[in-house]
Amino acid sequence: MHLLSVLLIGIASNLDNLGISVSYGLRSTRIPFISNLIIGIISMLCAYFSIIAGRFISAFISIQIANLVGGLIIICIGIKCILESFFEKNETGEVKIDSNYSQVITHPDLADVNDDQVISLKESIFLGFALAINCLAMGLGAGITGVSPVLTTFSIGLFSVISIWCGLKLGNKICGKNIGKYSNIVAGFLLIMIGVYEMIV
């Protein structure tokens, strides 16, 4: 049972949550505990089903190949995180949207659609799915390598709640403005380390 991987996956999968919640803290937007909990539960559900899917796939291949494929998937996600931090999709900040849901999916930091500076239960559901998208591919790769679905899911949910709470607390600090960018880089390197670890252990 790769407990180190379980811990690092929980941390890496929620560094985006930290960056997003810092941006909310900078704007004095609150995320009540129940909304934070809903976001964590959604992340857990998405992660669990993707890990189960990964374990199902691993049943048809050898352990060595499973670790290799799963590790490569996690490494690719890590590289993607790092690249995304250097290439912004829209430098002007102008966002074209078709619906509130598509707005939140592409720009999670805009989940407060009614601008009341509180993430409501409904908004937390949209935000939860937007942030959980990263957990899908990560969970698939982790599942293929054979990590525990229950422990990994719990780790992701726990660090989701912790990272959002910490991010809001950090949001009133000037250095928080760059955390969103750095969180992608840190998450990327963590995932690459996890992928390499799973391939050789």
Side-chain angles (χ1 to χ4, degrees):
M1 204 177 297
H2 300 152
L3 294 179
L4 178 60
S5 292
V6 168
L7 179 65
L8 292 178
I9 287 172
I11 295 173
S13 62
N14 286 297
L15 287 176
D16 275 352
N17 295 27
L18 180 65
I20 295 299
S21 58
V22 164
S23 72
Y24 281 128
L26 289 168
R27 289 175 288 186
S28 299
T29 298
R30 293 191 304 109
I31 302 180
F33 176 76
I34 186 65
S35 296
N36 190 0
L37 189 61
I38 288 175
I39 293 170
I41 290 173
I42 291 173
S43 294
M44 290 174 69
L45 289 173
C46 291
Y48 180 78
F49 286 116
S50 62
I51 292 171
I52 292 298
R55 287 177 70 90
F56 177 78
I57 293 172
S58 68
F60 298 96
I61 55 181
S62 67
I63 295 177
Q64 292 78 10
I65 295 178
N67 287 338
L68 178 63
V69 172
L72 285 174
I73 291 175
I74 295 174
I75 289 172
C76 288
I77 298 171
I79 293 173
K80 178 176 177 290
C81 286
I82 295 173
L83 292 178
E84 283 180 348
S85 68
F86 292 104
F87 298 97
E88 297 294 334
K89 293 181 179 180
N90 195 330
E91 295 181 355
T92 64
E94 182 180 353
V95 181
K96 294 183 179 180
I97 58 174
D98 298 320
S99 66
N100 287 340
Y101 182 71
S102 62
Q103 173 182 348
V104 175
I105 289 297
T106 54
H107 297 271
D109 59 318
L110 301 179
D112 185 20
V113 293
N114 58 6
D115 293 324
D116 63 352
Q117 293 189 307
V118 177
I119 299 300
S120 66
L121 295 181
K122 179 181 178 181
E123 291 168 341
S124 70
I125 293 174
F126 288 161
L127 180 58
F129 278 110
L131 294 174
I133 288 177
N134 286 337
C135 295
L136 293 175
M138 193 181 306
L140 184 66
I144 292 175
T145 63
V147 297
S148 168
V150 175
L151 289 179
T152 305
T153 299
F154 179 77
S155 176
I156 289 174
L158 177 63
F159 282 107
S160 172
V161 173
I162 292 174
S163 63
I164 289 177
W165 182 83
C166 290
L168 290 172
K169 296 296 183 182
L170 290 171
N172 60 353
K173 295 184 178 181
I174 296 176
C175 63
K177 294 181 180 179
N178 292 320
I179 285 183
K181 178 178 179 179
Y182 294 139
S183 68
N184 269 349
I185 297 175
V186 175
F189 280 113
L190 264 178
L191 290 172
I192 291 173
M193 289 170 57
I194 295 169
V196 172
Y197 174 79
E198 289 295 339
M199 289 171 66
I200 62 178
V201 173

